[in-house]
Amino acid sequence: FLWLIIPATADLIPLCHQLPLSHVDIEYEHRHNENEVLVRCTCSTNYQTGVEMEAIVGATMAAVTIYDM
């Protein structure tokens, strides 16, 4: 479901332009000893711009989903 949310970043953040993403990957790592979950979101595009906002939205939504469960 996160692949549906990440492209909507421009709808969530003011002045953020919509990008055609060529790749989205989300990884989770449960660190039992530290009682934490590491979430990593990687995005890429062929455009001449960064995709840091899309990656932040993806990681944030993944973390909120884990917290909710």
Side-chain angles (χ1 to χ4, degrees):
F1 81 95
L2 291 173
W3 296 269
L4 299 173
I5 294 171
I6 294 171
T9 299
D11 298 330
L12 301 171
I13 300 175
L15 303 178
C16 184
H17 56 281
Q18 192 170 14
L19 296 175
L21 298 173
S22 55
H23 176 77
V24 173
D25 186 40
I26 299 174
E27 301 173 19
Y28 306 90
E29 179 185 336
H30 187 202
R31 298 179 176 181
H32 296 280
N33 294 337
E34 291 85 14
N35 199 26
E36 63 187 22
V37 176
L38 173 68
V39 178
R40 179 177 295 123
C41 180
T42 306
C43 300
S44 61
T45 183
N46 294 328
Y47 271 35
Q48 300 278 334
T49 186
V51 291
E52 63 279 351
M53 296 309 294
E54 287 76 10
I56 290 169
V57 167
T60 301
M61 294 308 296
V64 168
T65 302
I66 291 169
Y67 180 80
D68 185 49
M69 292 181 175

